[in-house]
Amino acid sequence: MGLSRLNGLSDDELVEELKEISRKCRVEIIKMVYRAQAGHPGGSLSEIDLLTALYAINMNVNPNDTKWEDRDRFVLSKGHASPGMYSILAEMGFITHEDLESYRVLGGVCQGHVDMKHTPGVDFSAGSLGMGLSFGLGCSFAAKFDGSPRNCYVMLGDGEIQEGAVWEAMMAARHHELGNLKVILDCNRIQNDDFVESQMRLFNIPEKWSSFGWNVKEIDGHDMYQIIEGMRWFDENNDLPSVLIANTVKGKGVSYMENNPKFHGAAPNEEQYSKALLELGEVI
Amino acid sequence: MSNSAASRDGYGHALISMSEDPKLVVLEADLGKSTKSCWFREKFPERTISCGIGEQNMMLVAAGLASSGYKPFASTFAIFTERAFEQVRNGIARPNLPVHICGSHGGTHTGTDGSSAQSIEDLAIYRTLPNMTVMHPCDDYSTQQLTMKLLSHDSPSYTRTARNKTPRIYELNDSRLEIGKGVLLKSGSDVAIIACGVMVSKSIEAAEKLSEMGIDAAVVDMHTLKPLDESLVYELASKCKGIVTVEDHSVIGGLGGAVAEYLSESKPTILRRVGVRDRFGESGQAEEMLQLLNISTKDIIKSALDIVKME
């Protein structure tokens, strides 16, 4: 499962490898958004450490057989944070690094929001918030009916769970005891207009989710040791649906984007672009 | 055997008839007893998914199943499918996943529950979605047969059924029934009546009365609104002086809308649309609703006479 070249590494070595993959993905995210002069860097940068570990450790997929029936599914419900997903798909070999240049370009492999009809490795066409968990439930049901060990992973944003239908899905997943459904909540605390706290407070998310009867674990979504532990926790909990609540920083890795609502959906200018690449250790 | 039945029963029978397909999955949102998916649940509980009172979730669970090779049939009241319109639009129609939605209790014919339950816009809104097939069969047998054809239909669909009994129009397994092909139930050369759903039997009744007046009216069951059987509409428009469309649905965007759109671009023809005129219904018996909203047999006759008497 995951990236075979990482098998057999010690945790310290694994953490270093994952950090480097994440760093490279962050560079690609910035490049994509800069080239398109549009897109969503903030949520891509907050999710990328989690996506890197998910693909490198858990996901049982084959880039050479993208429609393989027994592959694990991944649903990026916060589908606007597509640069993050495209960068890891390129790293995994589902798409090429040249494909990343087609982000938001007519006829491109990389649509503005993730789209299963355009991009190999994308299992759901998202973009409208609050839909991915229900879709993931359907994938989990299918795996159960097939008697397959495959899992369905879904990533949600914290602002996204303001959508009421997410809670319908939470209830249904527990009711049907879909232990093969694994959710990562990217809690970056910022939504389109402003901080989540100012738009619609969510209060105690772990407590709320626990009260729906799920397995719940909270981690620092940028501490690679904790992330690895969370990914292993997914593997160990298959009785009920599980959610990994990851506290993250929107715009993580680029100083002026961090915790800045402005970079939810805005591209850097030329000066900002150079600064971002410099901060990410990329030689221009 | 009774010569009347509710079209929703046809949906229930179809699900059971298709049960041999191991990929068939049935989804409900607390209205299985009404839509008649309950019959399938009784026999195959392991392949029936209860979504509680949560239509938005149901539509996307169905989409996830379809993406994994299953053939999901999801039902609730027509009106409540509309709550999940965006889920259907973005999660089903856009990725072209073969999810088959059945909206029962459609139209004002559903009766005494009143306007909150009387969907008069479902056919219109689903027609606007690319990839969607939209049907409204007229009796239980045709509903059963057309629903069974959806099993091999590789794109999403919406089928409206009705709550109340109406006269049977077809025999079981009528070879004329194909998705996307209207059925000429009665030929005629003066005026053509194109109807769907519960209004088909009313249209036959109207044609019989018109015949007594010496007017030869054709009657078509246009059970599929999308794709519209354009060649049949063209043929009728070529042969007859004008066309009357009849539906228990808004005149905006439904069968009348579809026929008007086609004719105005391809074969301008005199047209009268019998349907709900941009208003909501209220509580009342089915027949009372048709009278109140001017979509009864006499309204069909009046529209046909309008056309025939035109200079």
Side-chain angles (χ1 to χ4, degrees), chain A residues 194-214:
Chain A
D194 206 341
F195 284 88
V196 171
E197 193 70 10
S198 73
Q199 297 300 298
M200 182 58 66
R201 287 177 291 168
L202 299 166
F203 295 99
N204 192 331
I205 300 171
E207 192 177 281
K208 280 187 174 161
W209 221 307
S210 294
S211 75
F212 275 68
W214 285 49

Side-chain angles (χ1 to χ4, degrees), chain A residues 73 115-117 123-128 130-131 134-135 137-139 141-142 145-146 150 165 168-169 172 175-176, chain B residues 23 25 46-47 49-51 53-57 60-61 63-65 67-68 70 86-87 90-91 94-97:
Chain A
R73 305 300 201 269
D115 192 317
M116 66 200 282
K117 292 289 180 193
D123 290 318
F124 179 53
S125 301
S128 173
M131 294 199 182
S134 297
F135 186 87
L137 228 82
C139 295
F141 261 119
F145 289 149
D146 286 344
R150 65 181 187 258
E168 287 183 11
H175 175 79
H176 293 287
Chain B
K23 292 293 184 186
V25 184
E46 71 289 349
R47 278 197 283 156
I49 298 176
S50 163
C51 295
I53 308 172
E55 299 79 14
Q56 298 173 75
N57 182 51
L60 292 166
V61 170
L65 282 158
S67 81
S68 304
Y70 280 84
E86 201 225 327
Q87 277 81 2
N90 267 330
R94 196 166 57 103
N96 196 19
L97 293 168

Side-chain angles (χ1 to χ4, degrees), chain B residues 191-256:
Chain B
V191 63
I193 304 172
I194 302 177
C196 62
V198 298
M199 301 309 292
V200 171
S201 64
K202 300 291 178 195
S203 298
I204 293 171
E205 214 175 273
E208 284 163 1
K209 293 200 171 134
L210 286 164
S211 172
E212 288 165 17
M213 297 177 211
I215 294 160
D216 190 19
V219 179
V220 165
D221 170 21
M222 196 62 88
H223 49 73
T224 307
L225 282 80
K226 187 187 177 188
L228 184 70
D229 188 348
E230 293 177 349
S231 59
L232 179 56
V233 176
Y234 186 91
E235 199 182 304
L236 295 165
S238 305
K239 195 190 279 185
C240 302
K241 188 172 174 191
I243 286 178
V244 180
T245 59
V246 190
E247 63 201 306
D248 179 10
H249 182 277
S250 173
V251 291
I252 302 168
L255 179 62

Side-chain angles (χ1 to χ4, degrees), chain A residues 78-91:
Chain A
K78 39 174 284 187
H80 58 279
S82 54
M85 181 157 184
Y86 297 142
S87 66
I88 194 70
L89 287 179
E91 194 64 34

Side-chain angles (χ1 to χ4, degrees), chain A residues 213-233:
Chain A
W214 285 49
N215 297 318
V216 178
K217 183 177 173 68
E218 196 173 0
I219 58 164
D220 176 336
H222 299 303
D223 179 328
M224 211 44 104
Y225 285 97
Q226 288 191 37
I227 296 174
I228 292 169
E229 197 189 318
M231 295 301 154
R232 290 174 182 159
W233 174 80

